[in-house]
Amino acid sequence: MSEPIRVLVTGAAGQIAYSLLLSIAKGDVFGKDQPIILLLLDITPMLPVLEGVVMELQDCSLPLLRDIVPTDKEEVAFKDLDVAILVGSMPRKEGMERKDLLKANVNIFKSQGAALDKYAKKTVKVLVVGNPANTNCLIAAKSAPSIPKENFSCLTRLDHNRARSQVAIRCGVPATQVTNVIIWGNHSSTQYPDVHHCKVNMSGSELACFDAVKDDAWLKGDFIATVQQRGAAVIKARKLSSAMSAAKAICDHMRDIWVGTPEGEFTSMGIYSTGNSYAVPEDLIYSFPVQIKDKTWKIVEGLAINDFSRSKMDATAAELIEERDTAVAFLGV
């Protein structure tokens, strides 16, 4: 057995964490022979609920789970971290403007970025889930200057999985037979689910997505809208936001960072845009197609971008620039 790794989950008493913690603790993410110390951070009023979560994790009697540390203190939660999964954020409440949401979250992620900078390992891998995820991730990264920017990413894997499954359902195949969808941009309703480079395995032969689906109008219309609006549709149906699917996407994202992406396949994640070859503006956390090896992502280069895709990619970039500038103004930096 190797040394335990220290994994933080924030918002640990919340519903996404409740769906997430068991998968992490039983080895689905970091491997079946990787012991884990779980650090669970939440706000002080949630500590009694968190205690119940700790009891349940103990009652699972898991061989890999070496210790569980519930806390409301950043100096405890962020100490010597190998992995930080930042789920907790201020949710949007009724009547709240997007700028109000940004202002509340800037303070949370500035503080957590500073805590990462002060207490965590410099090799820590940071995944931001709490919305607005891209901009929260950017603020955390800016607030942790001693940790490389490439160690920060935000979750667009849920959108990636949603896009993949919509194509699979349409073609009547398992989702594993749909590869190389791309989510470009923001984890918001401006994101662009792109299937121009997607492949579908139909009866043993690999087809381009447009040839497999045979409905260009759907792929350029309802498909995009369905993926963009899926989170809102889940809330409308469930009266709660996506939790099970978000937790699964977090596991997929972190496992790919840990063990790499399959040969020839790429995935989507929100990463630092500086130096990209797709004319996406600098200094954003923007979702790109990536391949991962040795815990290091590389943007998939050389994909042809048509005018339809370009306009969608630019629209989501414009939203991210506006979010960033609003958030940075609140920070006063």
Side-chain angles (χ1 to χ4, degrees), residues 75-330:
E75 63 270 25
V76 175
F78 286 84
K79 185 158 178 56
D80 296 333
L81 288 183
D82 296 284
V83 176
I85 301 172
L86 307 184
V87 180
S89 64
M90 172 71 76
R92 190 169 186 166
K93 299 192 174 79
E94 206 171 335
M96 191 186 253
E97 296 284 328
R98 195 167 175 87
K99 67 175 187 299
D100 301 326
L101 183 69
L102 276 167
K103 188 170 191 177
N105 279 299
V106 158
N107 292 319
I108 294 168
F109 286 87
K110 179 184 181 185
S111 176
Q112 292 187 350
L116 284 163
D117 202 58
K118 188 171 181 183
Y119 301 112
K121 292 179 182 173
K122 300 309 174 195
T123 53
V124 65
K125 298 296 185 185
V126 184
L127 169 59
V128 176
V129 180
N131 285 319
N134 298 58
T135 299
N136 288 344
C137 184
L138 185 69
I139 295 304
K142 284 180 177 293
S143 305
S146 70
I147 296 170
K149 292 279 191 291
E150 56 267 26
N151 288 25
F152 288 82
S153 56
C154 85
L155 189 73
T156 57
R157 182 58 170 266
L158 178 51
D159 310 299
H160 181 99
N161 288 350
R162 285 165 170 166
R164 197 176 180 184
S165 77
Q166 287 298 312
V167 170
I169 291 163
R170 191 78 174 191
C171 294
V173 299
T176 48
Q177 289 178 219
V178 178
T179 54
N180 297 357
V181 300
I182 301 168
I183 303 296
W184 298 99
N186 200 1
H187 174 62
S188 76
S189 59
T190 68
Q191 65 175 261
Y192 170 42
D194 178 4
V195 290
H196 286 90
H197 308 281
C198 168
K199 300 273 190 271
V200 184
N201 192 310
M202 303 271 284
S203 310
S205 56
E206 200 170 64
L207 300 178
C209 183
F210 279 83
D211 295 335
V213 172
K214 296 193 180 72
D215 189 340
D216 291 17
W218 180 77
L219 284 170
K220 290 184 168 185
D222 287 351
F223 161 73
I224 292 173
T226 297
V227 177
Q228 288 174 334
Q229 302 294 336
R230 189 68 162 188
V234 170
I235 290 171
K236 188 175 178 190
R238 242 189 117 225
K239 310 296 182 266
L240 291 164
S241 58
S242 308
M244 178 174 33
S245 55
K248 163 66 164 56
I250 291 165
C251 292
D252 291 346
H253 179 116
M254 285 311 311
R255 189 175 55 249
D256 279 354
I257 287 179
W258 222 248
V259 304
T261 45
E263 193 65 37
E265 290 187 28
F266 40 86
T267 187
S268 305
M269 50 199 266
I271 53 172
Y272 205 57
S273 65
T274 297
N276 76 87
S277 64
Y278 288 104
V280 172
E282 307 272 295
D283 197 35
L284 298 172
I285 297 286
Y286 187 101
S287 184
F288 288 92
V290 299
Q291 291 175 320
I292 306 167
K293 191 177 179 183
D294 301 328
K295 296 190 176 72
T296 304
W297 53 260
K298 281 196 168 59
I299 295 175
V300 177
E301 299 288 3
L303 299 174
I305 305 296
N306 62 21
D307 290 346
F308 178 84
S309 293
R310 184 79 259 163
S311 67
K312 301 272 189 211
M313 290 164 66
D314 290 347
T316 192
E319 182 183 56
L320 280 170
I321 290 167
E322 189 183 343
E323 274 187 24
R324 176 197 65 196
D325 293 351
T326 304
V328 168
F330 288 139

Side-chain angles (χ1 to χ4, degrees), residues 46-61:
M46 295 304 289
L47 287 180
V49 178
L50 192 55
E51 196 50 51
V53 175
V54 171
M55 286 186 230
E56 283 209 72
L57 281 165
Q58 291 167 339
D59 294 350
C60 289
S61 189

